[in-house]
Amino acid sequence: RITCPTLIIQGTRDTMATPEALLVASEMMGGSVELCWLPDADHGFKPRKSSGYSPEDCALMASDASVEWVQRVAALTAESPEATPPANP
């Protein structure tokens, strides 16, 4: 069980963990788990050329999602530090 806020960034074409499998796994993890989907990206965040996305686009989406997530978690922690569960030992 995950007891700290968690962000998982995943490509929608990742064959190592399909979106369906990851949705089920994230529900089983418990806690605060957010998923960010990179459109048409594989496990290495590489999209197909025909998708209209570049690897740089996917890297930017991943970094933007990370920054936004950290800012949200930090804001929640600042508002209510006692509500933030401890990190996993």
Side-chain angles (χ1 to χ4, degrees):
R1 177 159 166 57
I2 294 179
T3 60
C4 62
T6 303
L7 173 65
I8 299 172
I9 301 174
Q10 187 79 8
T12 59
R13 285 188 316 110
D14 189 337
T15 58
M16 296 184 78
T18 64
E20 297 79 15
L22 194 55
L23 285 169
V24 170
S26 67
E27 297 225 353
M28 292 172 53
M29 290 175 197
S32 174
V33 178
E34 282 187 47
L35 300 172
C36 171
W37 300 105
L38 301 180
D40 201 62
D42 63 13
H43 188 70
F45 297 172
K46 183 179 176 186
R48 293 176 285 204
K49 289 181 183 180
S50 63
S51 72
Y53 294 103
S54 69
E56 292 79 15
D57 293 332
C58 288
L60 184 58
M61 285 186 257
S63 63
D64 286 348
S66 298
V67 168
E68 291 169 11
W69 180 82
V70 167
Q71 289 172 337
R72 279 195 313 276
V73 170
L76 289 172
T77 302
E79 290 173 11
S80 182
E82 67 280 352
T84 303
N88 288 336

